[in-house]
Amino acid sequence: MKKIFQKFSTILLIFLSSFAFSQHAASTFEIKNGSFLLNGKPFTIYSGEMHYPRVPQEYWKHRLQMMKAMGLNTVTTYVFWNYHEESPGKWKFSGEKDLKKFIKTAQEVGLYVIIRPGPYVCAEWEFGGYPWWLQKNKGLEIRTDNKAFLEECEKYIAQLAKQIVPLQIDRGGSVIMVQAENEFGSYVSQRKDISLENHRKYSHKIKDMLLKHGITVPLFTSDASSLFKGGSIEGALPTANGESDIDVLKKSVNDYHNGKGPYMVAEYYPGWLDHWAEPFVKVTTEDVVKQTELYIKNGVSFNYYMIHGGTNFAFTSGANYDKDHDIQPDLTSYDYDAPISEAGWATPKYKALQEVFQRNIKNKLPEVPKPIKVITIPEFKITKTASLFDVIDGMNPIINNQPLTFEDLNIGNGYVLYRRIFDKDHNGKLEIKGLRDYATIYINKNRIGELNRMNKKYDLDIDIKKGDRLDILVENMGRINYGAEINHNLKGIISPVKINENEISGNWEMFPLSFDEFPKHHFKVKSIPKNSPVIQEAEFNLNETGDTFLDTRNFGKGIVFINGKNLGRYWKVGPQQTLYLPGVWLKKGKNVIQIFEQLNSNTSVKTLDHPILDQLNL
């Protein structure tokens, strides 16, 4: 009887496995007769963008379920090349970087997937997704028909294809479309020094690489509708970014797609990006609801950029620039004023949009998942503090006649301390025109000022005596991710330091501080000069875990690690005055917080049950 039962169990298991597989049997998704067709039937894409690196892996399913419950049928994600190629030739697609798991989780939830692999992605992400070390090859020029660059692109696309090709819809997966390049039309308009013919050679080679490595689902491009001439690619559907006028959308697509659709807005913005030292941008719920209803009424497919922004953990945030700022670093928070908040909460915007979709969808929408539990941690004292200068005393410097860039020092992110001891007096103006991006200046460990590329402040008055030690602590605040200046993304001090127009050369010492991990240090009780850069550490105990928000309003400028995880940058100028701390990075019992503070020494740590993202303190 036992054997019969075992045999029956085996047969049942095989049947159930076959049934489960049949639920993900190969389907079809195609562009035909001016429409998207899913298994031969017209299909309208209601998508929301969420980037898996910006959300802890443990929360992916929760966020995707929220999208499904709002009424969406698709999730769109960028793939960040520099997130997966951690160093030249070293790739990681496992653990928190498991792209396959993200796609499969979306399929389990009932969402189709659109992949935007770049290789350029913008996204307010460090260097637009490019690995920083590409700049070390002086013969390589990004985003153009350059042999060295295209060779690197193909290595990336070959690795990417291993992850997404098996999960395309025609193989039983949920991937229905893949983007070729990204917003290339805007780059063409900014780089008029390159001919349109050469621009198009490059973009079409990216398309050809995707096809060569097994992409069989439809390809698409995304550009502002006025920039299709430079951005469209033969064989890929042109889609519009930010286009609210249905007539303009249809005319633009028709002009570059044989007179017919389908019509899609690949980026509709229910919120907007944010920079340090600038007001937090908001988009009204009323405007988003009105535009969504217009798209639905006219049968337009669309993707909310972003539906859920998440967080720029560690050093992943990028930067922009404009005529008033040589750099505009992006916040650590990527909340984006999106319908689903940074911490995964349903906002009033979310609830209003859910009502819109429910009115237009026959089936009842699923229940909205409960939010992740939120806790506050009782205020606790910082117990260990050490001067960064003491940490550096245990390091061996790199010595050169001139300051070296981050790239020359083989460091991608973080900080570099530049040091020089003077053999004669200097009094006058210290000038560092090649500062990238933010520096605190010290003479004999005493802070005398700050320089800041953001505000175009590249000089200050200085008085150096013979034997004095000058320390320049330089922070990389994120590489530019959009516009022609993306080609000029070296970090550190990239041109000579001058005093009174005289170049200061010889005996520069450099101490790279990547903060890939927090520095190990034996803390000792000793006096620390006021306004010194410090590393700090404390322990705290928890009886329960949950999401929380570190209150950084009394901090200066720096980064925070919790249990070895880098939460990202904080800066007193705002508008962001809290750091999101996911509960899954906490544990019951002992936890460790580590802080690198560039400006002040902190004495205690507080948490809140809500974020503060709109409080400037200039």
Side-chain angles (χ1 to χ4, degrees):
M1 183 69 183
K2 186 177 180 182
K3 288 184 178 178
I4 293 172
F5 179 75
Q6 287 175 334
K7 185 175 182 182
F8 173 76
S9 299
T10 302
I11 293 171
L12 180 62
L13 181 62
I14 292 171
F15 171 76
L16 290 174
S17 298
S18 299
F19 177 77
F21 177 79
S22 71
Q23 300 307 295
H24 299 312
S27 301
T28 61
F29 183 84
E30 57 186 333
I31 295 171
K32 193 173 182 180
N33 299 326
S35 298
F36 292 121
L37 299 181
L38 178 63
N39 296 323
K41 297 180 180 178
F43 181 74
T44 304
I45 297 169
Y46 299 145
S47 176
E49 188 130 351
M50 163 187 161
H51 304 145
Y52 57 97
R54 285 173 156 145
V55 180
Q57 184 195 58
E58 296 89 340
Y59 292 165
W60 289 350
K61 189 169 186 177
H62 175 266
R63 307 303 200 255
L64 292 166
Q65 287 173 328
M66 289 196 69
M67 294 170 60
K68 184 72 175 175
M70 199 185 88
L72 303 181
N73 56 32
T74 304
V75 58
T76 296
T77 186
Y78 276 127
V79 179
F80 303 129
W81 174 359
N82 58 14
Y83 184 67
H84 291 289
E85 191 174 11
E86 297 178 331
S87 58
K90 181 187 174 187
W91 298 87
K92 185 175 180 182
F93 286 95
S94 59
E96 74 279 6
K97 301 187 179 188
D98 193 339
L99 173 56
K100 280 185 177 179
K101 181 174 181 179
F102 178 76
I103 295 170
K104 290 176 180 178
T105 302
Q107 187 168 16
E108 289 169 15
V109 169
L111 294 170
Y112 296 102
V113 179
I114 294 173
I115 300 290
R116 306 178 73 187
Y120 164 77
V121 295
C122 187
E124 293 70 64
W125 186 269
E126 154 75 15
F127 203 7
Y130 291 133
W132 62 267
W133 60 82
L134 294 181
Q135 298 176 106
K136 290 172 67 70
N137 182 346
K138 303 306 179 187
L140 185 152
E141 184 180 354
I142 62 171
R143 227 176 169 194
T144 191
D145 187 19
N146 171 275
K147 184 174 183 292
F149 174 60
L150 289 169
E151 286 173 353
E152 295 296 329
C153 288
E154 183 143 24
K155 292 175 190 175
Y156 160 61
I157 288 172
Q159 292 290 332
L160 171 80
K162 294 175 186 177
Q163 309 302 313
I164 63 174
V165 165
L167 298 177
Q168 294 178 107
I169 193 168
D170 53 5
R171 299 197 183 194
S174 57
V175 176
I176 58 171
M177 288 207 299
V178 173
Q179 184 177 332
E181 239 283 344
N182 179 53
E183 299 175 322
F184 192 58
S186 65
Y187 192 68
V188 170
S189 71
Q190 294 154 355
R191 292 295 307 275
K192 291 185 169 61
D193 56 310
I194 300 173
S195 70
L196 180 60
E197 180 185 5
N198 281 340
H199 276 307
R200 292 181 65 79
K201 277 183 183 177
Y202 156 70
S203 61
H204 282 70
K205 285 180 180 179
I206 295 298
K207 179 202 75 171
D208 292 342
M209 286 180 196
L210 292 167
L211 297 176
K212 173 184 173 182
H213 289 281
I215 301 302
T216 52
V217 296
L219 298 177
F220 71 101
T221 59
S222 66
D223 293 282
S225 54
S226 61
L227 299 173
F228 280 10
K229 182 177 180 180
S232 62
I233 295 175
E234 187 177 343
L237 173 70
T239 68
N241 285 355
E243 184 53 71
S244 58
D245 188 310
I246 305 300
D247 291 336
V248 171
L249 170 68
K250 290 184 175 181
K251 183 180 185 307
S252 300
V253 173
N254 288 346
D255 286 347
Y256 291 90
H257 198 244
N258 301 317
K260 56 189 175 184
Y263 308 106
M264 181 171 179
V265 175
E267 291 188 4
Y268 168 59
Y269 309 110
W272 195 243
L273 61 93
D274 299 285
H275 302 130
W276 291 108
E278 297 178 21
F280 184 84
V281 181
K282 294 185 179 181
V283 176
T284 69
T285 296
E286 292 74 20
D287 285 348
V288 177
V289 165
K290 182 179 178 182
Q291 191 62 43
T292 297
E293 289 175 328
L294 185 65
Y295 288 147
I296 292 174
K297 177 184 174 183
N298 285 276
V300 171
S301 292
F302 58 92
N303 171 52
Y304 292 112
Y305 188 100
M306 303 288 295
I307 191 67
H308 172 51
T311 308
N312 293 315
F313 294 115
F315 299 120
T316 57
S317 58
N320 293 300
Y321 61 94
D322 64 17
K323 62 181 176 62
D324 298 318
H325 307 87
D326 287 346
I327 193 168
Q328 296 168 290
D330 295 309
L331 300 185
T332 297
S333 171
Y334 201 56
D335 179 87
Y336 214 84
D337 193 34
I340 303 171
S341 76
E342 178 181 15
W345 301 345
T347 66
K349 195 176 289 181
Y350 174 97
K351 294 169 185 174
L353 289 171
Q354 185 188 44
E355 292 175 5
V356 172
F357 284 104
Q358 187 61 85
R359 289 196 299 268
N360 288 276
I361 294 174
K362 293 179 182 178
N363 298 329
K364 189 175 187 306
L365 292 174
E367 290 286 322
V368 179
K370 293 180 180 178
I372 306 299
K373 182 171 70 174
V374 175
I375 65 170
T376 55
I377 303 167
E379 183 176 357
F380 58 91
K381 297 291 184 184
I382 294 173
T383 53
K384 299 176 182 178
T385 298
S387 168
L388 182 70
F389 298 125
D390 291 340
V391 176
I392 284 171
D393 285 345
M395 298 172 60
N396 293 320
I398 297 165
I399 302 172
N400 195 63
N401 196 47
Q402 293 288 355
L404 297 170
T405 67
F406 275 46
E407 291 75 15
D408 288 334
L409 294 166
N410 210 34
I411 174 176
N413 303 104
Y415 311 79
V416 171
L417 185 95
Y418 296 85
R419 173 174 289 174
R420 190 177 190 277
I421 297 173
F422 285 76
D423 58 4
K424 61 181 181 180
D425 294 356
H426 287 271
N427 181 275
K429 192 174 292 295
L430 171 71
E431 186 178 61
I432 312 177
K433 286 187 175 178
L435 173 65
R436 305 291 185 270
D437 298 301
Y438 181 94
T440 41
I441 314 297
Y442 306 86
I443 295 178
N444 302 328
K445 299 184 181 180
N446 296 306
R447 191 172 84 207
I448 62 166
E450 302 162 29
L451 301 180
N452 187 348
R453 182 184 178 198
M454 187 178 74
N455 298 329
K456 301 186 181 183
K457 180 175 171 54
Y458 295 110
D459 59 60
L460 55 73
D461 292 332
I462 198 165
D463 185 10
I464 295 177
K465 305 300 183 186
K466 180 180 178 181
D468 281 352
R469 189 180 82 188
L470 173 69
D471 285 314
I472 306 170
L473 179 60
V474 175
E475 176 189 2
N476 164 8
M477 292 194 68
R479 288 181 178 82
I480 287 168
N481 58 261
Y482 177 80
E485 285 300 308
I486 196 172
N487 285 280
H488 307 120
N489 254 328
L490 298 178
K491 292 295 181 178
I493 296 177
I494 69 168
S495 64
V497 174
K498 294 182 179 181
I499 298 178
N500 290 337
E501 299 293 329
N502 297 310
E503 187 174 313
I504 306 300
S505 61
N507 298 313
W508 280 99
E509 297 182 346
M510 285 147 283
F511 301 87
L513 299 157
S514 69
F515 279 91
D516 292 336
E517 296 178 346
F518 203 83
K520 292 179 174 61
H521 184 70
H522 182 63
F523 290 88
K524 297 178 181 179
V525 178
K526 59 185 296 187
S527 63
I528 299 172
K530 187 180 178 182
N531 297 327
S532 291
V534 294
I535 62 169
Q536 301 185 293
E537 189 172 302
E539 295 179 358
F540 59 97
N541 288 287
L542 295 176
N543 296 321
E544 62 173 350
T545 62
D547 288 358
T548 192
F549 301 87
L550 289 183
D551 184 351
T552 60
R553 285 176 291 182
N554 291 325
F555 291 14
K557 194 176 198 303
I559 52 176
V560 177
F561 284 69
I562 296 283
N563 296 327
K565 296 275 193 179
N566 186 344
L567 300 187
R569 303 177 178 95
Y570 64 84
W571 193 6
K572 64 183 179 182
V573 299
Q576 179 177 354
Q577 301 288 353
T578 53
L579 283 175
Y580 171 56
L581 171 49
V584 291
W585 292 355
L586 293 168
K587 53 191 177 184
K588 290 183 180 180
K590 187 179 80 171
N591 293 264
V592 178
I593 183 170
Q594 296 166 304
I595 303 169
F596 172 49
E597 168 61 66
Q598 297 161 244
L599 301 179
N600 337 319
S601 182
N602 309 305
T603 58
S604 65
V605 176
K606 300 176 185 178
T607 64
L608 300 171
D609 61 4
H610 61 278
I612 301 174
L613 300 176
D614 57 357
Q615 191 175 105
L616 283 170
N617 182 30
L618 301 177

